Amino acid sequence: MRRWLMLVVLMAGFAFSVPGHAQDSQTVISEEVVEQRARDIGRGLRCVMCKNESIEESPSTTAQDMRRIVRERVRSGETDAEIIDYMQSRYGDFILLKPPVQPNTYLLWGLPFLLLLLALLWFWRAARKYSQDQT
Amino acid sequence: MRGLIPLLAFLALIVLLAVSILRGNSDQLSYKFLNEPFPEFELTELYDETRSVDQALIRGEITLVNIFGTWCTPCKAEHPKLVEIGETENLRLVGLNWRDTRDRAKSWLAQLGDPYDFVIYDRMGELVIAMGATGAPETYVIDAQGIIRYKHVGMVTDQVWAETLQPLIRQLESE
């Protein structure tokens, strides 16, 4: 019982606590937040020199400059979508590590589901034939 | 015979995927600024840091824009060819100096020769990223209207110049 009480008190403490940096002025984004958001954005952007790394992982000069530009834009108050749009406007869909769902990628996104459906269909027919043969 | 169906379906899938992969030429494939105006920018000139330059400088005549840096070994290797082009061709050459200090870039050009009509100083890669470049060296052909007509990734060798860039420039001159 006492353990339960302590847990409740502890949880209430977390629930009503205010993160330290939340009191910062709203126009200035703290460096911690900038870094966090920039990393999230950067992990989704492909390094154009090394093809299979994100700009956060790549040591290439272009990726270094891209990382800096992403951080500058976060600081200047742009949203994640605006920053990704900017990069996409410069490098095309290629810059996105996760391809967007659009007409030329329907096949890419749909094929696994289509194959699964076909496999299930095949399984269902084979199973039915098997049970018919048994009887 | 029916057992061959999955195999045939698999082969058809391979052919389909192979065709879509092989059809694209990766360099030109997704270059966003091909046949588009040179992107807007605001930077300064290498030799004169008080002189600001923007996209208007690129317009008006056929221009070769070359991205280079003193840290970039292939840039050094292609440089004699650019010097030769600068001497023999009636063509505007613009250098885009990337990730350098002014002093380093200036002494590099003093030592190897400066073929450029002017050099844009882009320490932070602002314009390099804005124009969708992937690295250095890269060379762009821009027509008199300021439209990017070609992007060459890598060194400008004798062969690249004779077979690709020069014919394109001749064609633009006759347009």
Side-chain angles (χ1 to χ4, degrees), chain B residues 121-139:
Chain B
Y121 181 62
D122 190 9
R123 178 167 173 73
M124 302 295 206
E126 207 177 296
L127 176 55
V128 168
I129 302 296
M131 63 197 287
T134 48
E138 271 180 22
T139 303

Side-chain angles (χ1 to χ4, degrees), chain B residues 68 73 81 95 98-99 107 114 125 148 171 175:
Chain B
F68 76 101
T73 319
K81 186 67 196 172
W98 181 32
R99 295 179 71 100
S107 65
D114 183 355
I148 299 182
Q171 182 208 320
E175 270 177 13

Side-chain angles (χ1 to χ4, degrees), chain B:
Chain B
M1 193 57 206
R2 281 195 56 186
L4 282 178
I5 291 175
L7 182 67
L8 289 176
F10 181 64
L11 286 176
L13 184 65
I14 288 185
V15 170
L16 185 77
L17 295 178
V19 165
S20 24
I21 290 172
L22 297 175
R23 209 173 38 184
N25 163 358
S26 64
D27 283 344
Q28 300 291 326
L29 174 70
S30 56
Y31 186 50
K32 290 287 275 187
F33 289 95
L34 195 64
N35 298 322
E36 294 288 330
F38 197 86
E40 292 177 9
F41 67 97
E42 216 187 316
L43 289 165
T44 56
E45 215 273 333
L46 174 68
Y47 295 99
D48 180 2
E49 55 189 291
T50 60
R51 185 183 165 202
S52 63
V53 285
D54 62 21
Q55 65 282 1
L57 264 171
I58 309 288
R59 254 177 261 133
E61 53 185 291
I62 300 168
T63 305
L64 221 54
V65 174
N66 173 252
I67 302 179
F68 76 101
T70 61
W71 46 271
C72 148
T73 319
C75 297
K76 194 173 181 179
E78 78 167 355
H79 204 74
K81 186 67 196 172
L82 293 173
V83 172
E84 183 199 311
I85 294 169
E87 282 166 359
T88 56
E89 292 283 323
N90 186 20
L91 179 69
R92 182 163 65 184
L93 270 172
V94 171
L96 176 50
N97 177 250
W98 181 32
R99 295 179 71 100
D100 260 323
T101 62
R102 282 179 199 274
D103 287 342
R104 257 199 313 239
K106 281 189 261 186
S107 65
W108 193 82
L109 288 172
Q111 191 193 335
L112 299 171
D114 183 355
Y116 305 114
D117 293 283
F118 64 89
V119 182
I120 305 165
Y121 181 62
D122 190 9
R123 178 167 173 73
M124 302 295 206
E126 207 177 296
L127 176 55
V128 168
I129 302 296
M131 63 197 287
T134 48
E138 271 180 22
T139 303
Y140 297 73
V141 180
I142 290 115
D143 70 16
Q145 284 73 46
I147 307 291
I148 299 182
R149 300 293 287 265
Y150 191 77
K151 167 188 183 171
H152 173 71
V153 176
M155 291 194 286
V156 175
T157 58
D158 289 336
Q159 196 188 3
V160 168
W161 174 249
E163 289 177 9
T164 313
L165 298 180
Q166 197 176 34
L168 176 63
I169 288 160
R170 293 283 171 272
Q171 182 208 320
L172 292 178
E173 282 168 348
S174 67
E175 270 177 13

